[in-house]
Amino acid sequence: MAKDEKKFRFDKDERVLCFHGPLIYEAKIIKREKRDDPEEPEGVYYLVHYKGWKQTWDEWVPEDRVLKHSDINLQKQQQLKDLHSKRKPSRVSAATSITQQSSDITESRRKRTRDSSLDKTRTEEEVKRPEFKLALSESLKGLLVDDWENVTKNRLILCLPRDPTVSQLLQQYGQEVKDKQKGDHECLEETLQGIKLYFNKTLSSLFYHCEKRQYEEILKEFPDKEPSDVYGAEHLLRLFVEIPSLLSQSYVDSETLVQIKEVLMDLQSFLQEHEKEFFTGDYQTNQNYRER
């Protein structure tokens, strides 16, 4: 046992720094373990709690994402923060699809960031545009908490494919809007396509750790389907929490941000109106759950 203990670089309850995306945050080691699962990288993993963050953000991370809480690493944390605030690169680059639906646009945007004059224009635009905030209603917050407890505490997992799927409920919402409001709905269509693309591109970051094995199985079972054609309202609601952060890191102009927010707020009301239809509580025992 003593020999194994030496293999851990960090102690339980130790105050550390941890990478989350491109930045470094203060965290605390909650648990630790060694893994030799053939379906995931073997090695040492730590369950970390980020200082000042809700418990729902606790996650298992490999050892290479954890740093000692030292003056040198604190300086590195500040340097990355300063660099990120200046450049603000797109984490997903999916927001470009809200106004243009070609993935080629993403690559062209990356290339244009090398042009200093365009960088300057974007920086000025970021200063001018309002901060994007999306408040969830209390009822939807309650559904998020219930979902989190079911998956992480009660060791349950959603039955898949969902009915309706994300694609189906977005289509249903779009049709409902068109039936109520006559006229040109091109902007609505583009926004819904953008939401769908965001979902497909970021789904893996929306999972709780114990859901990842199910996702791997779904990829094998439905190799030709997009995530939005398998997952449903529960995971879409998790995306609502992430969207403000995603958009804040994307090159979307102020006018488009306003349009996106209007659609998201209306879509939120739509989810509430169809709560019993979309959030059916259709969970099953997670056979892949591993004791931590």
Side-chain angles (χ1 to χ4, degrees), residues 60-274:
W60 286 92
V61 299
E63 192 169 61
D64 58 10
R65 280 179 53 185
V66 186
L67 303 171
K68 285 289 185 182
H69 195 285
S70 64
D71 290 341
I72 293 177
N73 288 331
L74 285 171
Q75 290 178 8
K76 184 176 182 180
Q77 177 192 37
Q78 188 60 47
Q79 289 171 354
L80 288 175
K81 183 178 179 181
D82 293 342
L83 179 63
H84 186 71
S85 64
K86 292 177 181 178
R87 298 184 61 184
K88 290 190 177 180
S90 175
R91 188 168 113 192
V92 182
S93 298
T96 58
S97 67
I98 293 174
T99 53
Q100 300 189 44
Q101 299 178 18
S102 169
S103 60
D104 291 337
I105 298 300
T106 302
E107 182 62 27
S108 66
R109 281 184 179 275
R110 290 191 185 123
K111 292 179 180 177
R112 289 201 299 271
T113 58
R114 301 190 187 105
D115 189 297
S116 59
S117 62
L118 287 177
D119 283 344
K120 181 179 179 180
T121 301
R122 286 181 181 135
T123 301
E124 293 174 349
E125 172 63 24
E126 286 168 359
V127 172
K128 292 178 182 178
R129 71 180 183 181
E131 182 180 1
F132 189 92
K133 294 182 179 180
L134 185 66
L136 285 180
S137 66
E138 291 303 316
S139 63
L140 292 183
K141 287 180 183 178
L143 290 171
L144 276 172
V145 173
D146 290 343
D147 178 45
W148 173 76
E149 289 185 344
N150 281 328
V151 176
T152 64
K153 300 298 183 183
N154 301 333
R155 305 181 186 182
L156 301 176
I157 203 161
L158 282 160
C159 297
L160 299 175
R162 304 299 296 133
D163 184 19
T165 63
V166 169
S167 294
Q168 290 170 337
L169 68 84
L170 289 178
Q171 183 179 15
Q172 183 178 336
Y173 164 73
Q175 189 59 52
E176 186 173 295
V177 173
K178 292 174 185 177
D179 291 341
K180 293 180 179 178
Q181 305 172 9
K182 303 301 180 182
D184 184 7
H185 297 286
E186 182 179 357
C187 179
L188 172 66
E189 290 290 348
E190 290 179 348
T191 303
L192 293 180
Q193 284 296 322
I195 293 172
K196 183 177 177 179
L197 183 56
Y198 263 127
F199 184 84
N200 289 331
K201 295 295 185 182
T202 64
L203 178 64
S204 60
S205 68
L206 303 178
F207 290 136
Y208 299 116
H209 183 78
C210 47
E211 293 179 300
K212 293 181 179 179
R213 182 70 62 82
Q214 183 192 36
Y215 177 59
E216 294 169 358
E217 295 171 352
I218 286 295
L219 288 178
K220 296 176 183 178
E221 186 176 356
F222 303 101
D224 299 325
K225 286 191 175 183
E226 292 184 317
S228 56
D229 296 322
V230 177
Y231 289 84
E234 296 84 2
H235 286 81
L236 179 62
L237 191 55
R238 297 183 198 177
L239 177 66
F240 271 60
V241 179
E242 293 293 319
I243 276 184
S245 174
L246 295 172
L247 289 176
S248 68
Q249 300 176 60
S250 302
Y251 301 122
V252 182
D253 60 79
S254 299
E255 183 179 351
T256 303
L257 278 178
V258 172
Q259 295 171 349
I260 295 172
K261 186 170 184 178
E262 288 178 353
V263 172
L264 289 173
M265 293 301 294
D266 196 42
L267 180 56
Q268 182 181 153
S269 298
F270 174 76
L271 293 177
Q272 286 182 265
E273 293 172 4
H274 296 271

Side-chain angles (χ1 to χ4, degrees), residues 15-18 25-28 48-54 57-58 69 77:
R15 184 185 177 196
V16 297
L17 297 172
C18 185
Y25 298 90
E26 291 191 44
K28 179 181 178 183
V48 299
H49 171 73
Y50 296 101
K51 181 181 178 181
W53 293 30
K54 294 182 179 179
W57 287 99
D58 292 2
H69 195 285
Q77 177 192 37

